[in-house]
Amino acid sequence: MWKYLFLVFVLIGCSNNEVVKPVKNLETKNEKYLLLKGANLYSLGKKSEALEIYGEVLKINRKNSVALREKAIIEGQFGNIVQAEKDLNSALALNPKDNLTLKNLGYLNFEKRNYNKSSKYLRSVSKDFMNDQDYFILGYIEFLNGNYLNSLKYYEYVEDDEIFNNKLFFDSYLNNLKRIEHLNKDSYLKIEDKIKHNKVNTIKLSNFYSLSLEKDDYSERVLKNYLTYNDIDKEVVEKLINIYYKNGDKVKEKEALNLIFN
């Protein structure tokens, strides 16, 4: 089983302020107080204590969807996946449009490799509640299903540098591009900016430009971009030299050689 996916895709809870919103119609003030107490304990990192509090809420009202959801989140973070999914499903039955419940069911099912379910839940999340990792997951599922254009459409929403430099994301991104020459120049520049400190991905992108797109000028650009923001690297410079040698540019080839030997 994957350890909560490939980045930091842990189940996510809500803050004290977010707890207040759905409790206006609760039957007892005690439930509201306990929910706030549970959220506060959770925010302080006291997850076991928070779990007990949510259990108390459910003794008062077993149909409290907020307590079910927050209990599920802690169970999931403790590795109790079966109980977490059971509680999330119960919470969703009570509140079918709850974004946090939908999102966490998406994460859980992705970890279990139930990709169709994961996609279904995440696509049900409100657009204004989506974040980069959600688009990553949806794009990766589309990639696995061979829907490369749809995968790219989701990936275009991703802005986070950490995700761009995640191997699973970047490799699948390039594989999409090999099948569909979809992006415009500005989109390529965005990619280059996101990976400007990553040597491995810089070389991968350089190879893609030269071999798949047959654009040595793009390849030269991404290699120079890396050298602009990082120390001189022999392997990166040698890639530049090969481009200049291939294109018969003796002047630039000599300049690149000087970077290594000076």
Side-chain angles (χ1 to χ4, degrees), residues 87-103:
D87 288 342
L88 284 171
N89 282 324
S90 296
L92 189 67
L94 293 166
N95 190 356
K97 294 184 179 181
D98 182 67
N99 286 312
L100 273 174
T101 303
L102 289 165
K103 185 174 287 201

Side-chain angles (χ1 to χ4, degrees), residues 178-189:
K178 287 175 183 178
R179 293 167 171 85
I180 301 172
E181 295 181 18
H182 169 71
L183 299 187
N184 56 35
K185 184 177 179 180
D186 288 341
S187 294
Y188 286 124
L189 290 174

Side-chain angles (χ1 to χ4, degrees), residues 15-80:
S15 68
N16 319 33
N17 292 333
E18 290 168 323
V19 166
V20 175
K21 295 176 184 177
V23 298
K24 291 179 180 177
N25 297 321
L26 292 177
E27 293 181 359
T28 69
K29 291 182 179 179
N30 197 32
E31 285 179 67
K32 179 177 179 179
Y33 166 75
L34 289 173
L35 284 173
L36 290 170
K37 183 177 180 180
N40 189 51
L41 287 168
Y42 180 85
S43 69
L44 293 173
K46 299 180 179 181
K47 296 181 181 180
S48 295
E49 292 93 326
L51 189 63
E52 291 180 9
I53 295 298
Y54 292 129
E56 289 182 33
V57 175
L58 292 170
K59 288 178 182 177
I60 298 171
N61 179 6
R62 62 187 178 86
K63 292 186 177 182
N64 188 306
S65 63
V66 177
L68 279 166
R69 182 193 68 207
E70 297 302 302
K71 174 178 178 290
I73 288 162
I74 299 173
E75 294 281 10
Q77 291 174 354
F78 283 163
N80 303 324

Side-chain angles (χ1 to χ4, degrees), residues 171-183:
D171 288 355
S172 61
Y173 205 153
L174 287 187
N175 273 302
N176 284 335
L177 295 179
K178 287 175 183 178
R179 293 167 171 85
I180 301 172
E181 295 181 18
H182 169 71
L183 299 187

